[in-house]
């Protein structure tokens, strides 16, 4: 990737198509529903426009209502497939925990306890060492039973990237120097420093989340819309209409 790439100021969405890219939700069903209402209101004033709503991953963990977030997204995609859901590292982490109850993995250490609670299951993360494995095994079995098959299918169906116009959307970012169509899936959901610190332009502007910032971050080569919604009470999105680009936010209660 070189300086001949696309600069944010010049980037455009496809003609006649509005794009909305929503940052990390992390169990904040209230904010996700509010963002969809705001987008729906905008689309009502743009009859005939095509659109895509791209969710950038991390639907579960940390916040209070991961179960309802997944229910909401399943229904949104069923209602209109122009609702696109990408995978985040926490979503993959939930799948991995359901398959194998790793006591020291991402799910147990970074918000999976709250996810389990949304399904009515208590996971004991800090049990005394001699009882921890047994307690986690019991909680894992209960969670596997509580999570609907439709939720597992949803998590397994998530794609890792999508591109429209001059924009490339993924959860975490990309590996500089690697063509967009050859990116490693682990980088797409985990990368940070090598991506954030890259000064040059890419072949498309990268729209991502994964790394929380106080307010949406707009750079020449990337846009970060992860505004720590689960804790801050602010969920952010990038809205693109042709060459017009703006950050939109919805506000709720901070935790």
């Amino acid at each position: 990737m070189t300086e001949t790439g696309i600069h944010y100021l010049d980037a455009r969405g496809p003609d006649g198509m509005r794009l909305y890219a929503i940052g990390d939700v992390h169990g904040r069903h209230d904010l996700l529903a509010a963002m969809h209402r705001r987008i729906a209101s905008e689309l009502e004033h743009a009859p005939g426009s095509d659109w895509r709503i791209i969710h950038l991953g991390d639907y579960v963990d940390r916040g209070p209502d991961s179960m309802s977030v997944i229910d909401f997204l399943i229904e949104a995609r069923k209602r209109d497939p122009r609702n696109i859901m990408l995978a985040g590292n926490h979503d993959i982490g939930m799948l991995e925990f359901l398959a194998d109850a790793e006591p020291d993995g991402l799910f147990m250490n970074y918000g999976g306890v709250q996810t389990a609670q949304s399904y009515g299951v208590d996971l004991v993360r800090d049990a005394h060492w001699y009882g921890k494995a047994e307690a986690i095994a019991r909680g894992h079995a209960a969670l596997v039973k509580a999570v609907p098959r439709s939720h597992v299918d949803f998590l397994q169906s998530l794609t890792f990237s999508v591109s429209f116009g001059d924009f490339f959307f993924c959860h975490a970012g990309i590996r500089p120097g690697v063509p967009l169509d050859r990116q490693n899936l682990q980088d797409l959901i985990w990368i940070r420093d090598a991506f954030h610190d890259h000064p040059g332009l890419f072949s498309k502007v990268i729209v991502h989340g994964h790394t929380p910032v106080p307010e949406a971050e707009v750079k020449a080569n990337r846009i970060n819309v992860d505004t720590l919604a689960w804790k801050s009470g602010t969920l952010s999105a990038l809205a693109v209409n042709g060459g017009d680009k703006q950050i939109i936010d919805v506000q709720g209660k901070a935790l």
Side-chain angles (χ1 to χ4, degrees):
M1 312 297 178
T2 70
E3 293 295 339
T4 60
I6 298 292
H7 192 289
Y8 171 78
L9 293 176
D10 300 320
R12 297 183 57 87
D15 291 341
M17 180 187 292
R18 291 173 177 252
L19 302 174
Y20 298 90
I22 302 174
D24 303 35
V25 177
H26 280 304
R28 290 298 299 261
H29 171 256
D30 57 334
L31 298 178
L32 179 61
M35 180 64 79
H36 270 254
R37 289 193 296 270
R38 173 163 180 173
I39 292 171
S41 177
E42 287 194 9
L43 292 174
E44 284 178 4
H45 293 90
S49 292
D50 195 6
W51 55 268
R52 299 293 187 277
I53 301 175
I54 302 149
H55 305 77
L56 296 174
D58 277 7
Y59 312 118
V60 302
D61 296 350
R62 294 189 166 127
D65 208 352
S66 294
M67 183 185 74
S68 293
V69 167
I70 295 181
D71 274 336
F72 183 95
L73 294 173
I74 289 172
E75 289 304 312
R77 188 165 65 181
K78 187 183 300 182
R79 186 169 60 249
D80 196 313
R82 290 177 292 183
N83 286 287
I84 298 170
M85 290 72 177
L86 303 182
N89 58 313
H90 282 263
D91 311 310
I92 301 303
M94 180 176 173
L95 274 178
E96 291 173 345
F97 183 81
L98 290 172
D100 180 12
E102 169 56 53
D104 295 312
L106 174 69
F107 190 79
M108 284 300 299
N109 286 314
Y110 295 97
V113 171
Q114 288 82 7
T115 296
Q117 287 173 343
S118 74
Y119 289 94
V121 173
D122 286 324
L123 289 179
V124 181
R125 185 167 71 88
D126 299 319
H128 195 276
W129 69 269
Y130 62 77
K132 183 175 180 179
E134 181 181 347
I136 291 175
R138 286 197 304 268
H140 172 261
L143 185 62
V144 168
K145 186 176 180 180
V147 174
R149 182 68 227 183
S150 61
H151 286 206
V152 176
D153 290 344
F154 170 79
L155 293 171
Q156 291 176 336
S157 77
L158 299 175
T159 54
F160 287 77
S161 66
V162 69
S163 182
F164 293 99
D166 293 327
F167 298 91
F168 180 89
F169 304 87
C170 60
H171 176 63
I174 66 165
R175 177 73 57 181
V178 178
L180 295 181
D181 61 357
R182 295 176 58 190
Q183 290 288 320
N184 181 282
L185 298 186
Q186 287 295 103
D187 282 336
L188 291 173
I189 62 172
W190 278 105
I191 199 168
R192 281 199 168 101
D193 292 349
F195 168 59
H196 295 165
D197 296 343
H198 183 69
L201 300 179
F202 301 113
S203 59
K204 296 198 176 191
V205 175
I206 312 303
V207 185
H208 67 98
H210 182 56
T211 301
V213 286
E215 58 184 28
E217 185 178 40
V218 177
K219 301 284 190 179
N221 58 4
R222 64 181 180 87
I223 302 99
N224 179 3
V225 288
D226 178 5
T227 48
L228 199 68
W230 74 270
K231 187 175 183 180
S232 70
T234 299
L235 179 63
S236 299
L238 172 70
V240 178
N241 181 19
D244 179 55
K245 301 167 288 283
Q246 60 178 316
I247 300 297
I248 60 175
D249 301 306
V250 293
Q251 306 285 337
K253 182 180 179 181
L255 298 183

